[in-house]
Amino acid sequence: MAQVSPMPWLDLFFLAYNKRELHRPVEYFHAHDGIEFLYIHEGTGQLVLNDRFYRIEPPTLIFYQPYQLHFLHMDFPYTRSILKMRSPLDDRFARLFPSLCHFLSDLVHHEPEQQVFRLEEGQDAELREQFRLFHETLTLSPKGERKEIFYSYCPSFLSYFKTRIYPMRRPAGQAFHPRATRHIEKVMKWIEEHFNEQFHLNELADEVHLSPSYLSRLFRKYTGSTLMEYISKRRLEEACLLLRTSHCTIGQVAQTSGFADTAYFCRSFKKRYGATPLQYRSAHG
């Protein structure tokens, strides 16, 4: 099965279709700044989400809320598709698709009854076709038209998810439970917005209204790493994206990702990925 290159973030979305993963990344608790749909085609693994453990077997669809902490461990090799969306809840979308807009708002802001779905055979075939069609349409389209394509595809995908996968999880008309406010999610949101800036623990602690010492202990308890370790990982992930999708120099990649010193960035990158930034760009460009 050939690997299919992902479509990069275009302000709104990221798509990777039918991608076969052959090498295990460094695994840790993490979160994303948008809503993510993860579709496991092949392979088995384990997921920790909301302090619950799930055994993952194909075909499975998982969705994560923005800044929702999770840990996924998959046995290799495995095949997946990913759709990440930054919420398209602008006025135009809301006017055209009010019910879908309300549904998406519920998914983002409230506590879902279920986030891990083991698909039936028919659902698997239908969902695979949804991802294939979106990917092929994007591949054949000029970059300048891809945002428009997203706006045409997003309602179709959300309608499918709402009517064919999610609906029978709760009685019609029953409201979602309010989503509990979690300190850790506030921290994740702050990190996502400031990871490429110089880090000051007191500034973050003031933002989430916790003492610096308690915040540090809480973060380590939930993620297994220190704040600086997590921020360094996030900066390196950003560097990987820039190396794959831009023509920035290594120094520019380091600076944009949040590393003040290019030599330190190169050492940190090689320690984590086993390759220099130039070697990584050559292999993934």
Side-chain angles (χ1 to χ4, degrees):
M1 181 185 304
Q3 289 192 13
V4 181
S5 299
M7 293 291 173
W9 278 112
L10 298 172
D11 297 327
L12 292 171
F13 71 93
F14 171 92
L15 175 69
Y17 168 68
N18 208 37
K19 193 171 189 302
R20 187 168 177 80
E21 302 291 352
L22 301 174
H23 304 289
R24 188 183 307 282
V26 178
E27 297 169 329
Y28 59 99
F29 275 95
H30 64 284
H32 313 287
D33 63 335
I35 190 169
E36 175 180 329
F37 292 90
L38 173 62
Y39 178 22
I40 303 296
H41 301 273
E42 299 174 348
T44 59
Q46 300 84 38
L47 170 69
V48 180
L49 180 68
N50 288 338
D51 297 324
R52 292 184 59 187
F53 175 87
Y54 298 89
R55 175 67 179 172
I56 303 300
E57 297 178 344
T60 294
L61 180 68
I62 306 163
F63 86 87
Y64 303 117
Q65 295 173 304
Y67 309 108
Q68 185 175 34
L69 202 63
H70 58 276
F71 180 95
L72 179 67
H73 171 90
M74 293 296 296
D75 300 321
F76 278 66
Y78 74 100
T79 306
R80 65 179 178 174
S81 292
I82 304 172
L83 175 60
K84 298 180 184 180
M85 297 189 295
R86 294 191 173 106
S87 180
L89 301 179
D90 61 19
D91 291 340
R92 291 170 300 172
F93 191 91
R95 286 197 301 268
L96 290 171
F97 308 102
S99 61
L100 286 181
C101 190
H102 179 72
F103 175 67
L104 184 58
S105 179
D106 279 339
L107 290 181
V108 169
H109 299 296
H110 295 79
E111 191 76 47
E113 293 189 3
Q114 188 169 350
Q115 293 181 252
V116 181
F117 304 90
R118 180 69 186 275
L119 303 179
E120 300 173 357
E121 183 177 347
Q123 292 172 319
D124 180 36
E126 292 164 353
L127 191 59
R128 193 181 293 263
E129 178 64 13
Q130 288 263 348
F131 274 89
R132 184 197 65 79
L133 182 60
F134 187 24
H135 177 267
E136 290 189 359
T137 303
L138 287 171
T139 302
L140 296 172
S141 301
K143 289 184 179 180
E145 297 179 9
R146 289 176 181 172
K147 186 179 290 188
E148 183 178 334
I149 291 168
F150 167 78
Y151 271 107
S152 65
Y153 173 81
C154 182
S156 175
F157 177 83
L158 289 174
S159 294
Y160 177 81
F161 180 69
K162 178 184 177 184
T163 59
R164 298 284 289 126
I165 296 178
Y166 200 88
M168 292 174 284
R169 309 300 168 181
R170 62 187 177 97
Q174 178 180 318
F176 286 85
H177 300 296
R179 186 179 180 189
T181 300
R182 303 183 180 94
H183 287 305
I184 199 68
E185 291 184 2
K186 290 183 178 179
V187 173
M188 291 296 182
K189 185 176 187 296
W190 189 93
I191 291 174
E192 191 63 33
E193 294 172 351
H194 301 280
F195 69 85
N196 57 354
E197 304 169 7
Q198 187 175 359
F199 175 65
H200 298 285
L201 177 58
N202 288 337
E203 183 179 342
L204 172 55
D206 288 344
E207 181 73 19
V208 297
H209 307 294
L210 297 173
S211 71
S213 58
Y214 179 72
L215 170 59
S216 298
R217 291 196 302 272
L218 184 69
F219 191 86
R220 183 155 195 145
K221 174 185 175 182
Y222 278 95
T223 67
S225 66
T226 67
L227 279 160
M228 279 309 306
E229 287 170 345
Y230 184 89
I231 291 171
S232 179
K233 291 171 185 175
R234 181 64 186 88
R235 289 170 175 172
L236 289 171
E237 288 177 348
E238 186 72 9
C240 286
L241 177 62
L242 290 171
L243 289 168
R244 292 195 305 266
T245 62
S246 77
H247 298 289
C248 294
T249 66
I250 300 304
Q252 290 170 333
V253 169
Q255 184 176 16
T256 304
S257 302
F259 291 91
D261 182 81
T262 302
Y264 175 73
F265 161 66
C266 291
R267 291 196 300 271
S268 300
F269 193 96
K270 186 170 184 179
K271 182 178 180 180
R272 183 177 184 198
Y273 296 108
T276 67
L278 282 175
Q279 290 169 337
Y280 181 91
R281 168 172 276 171
S282 177
H284 295 85

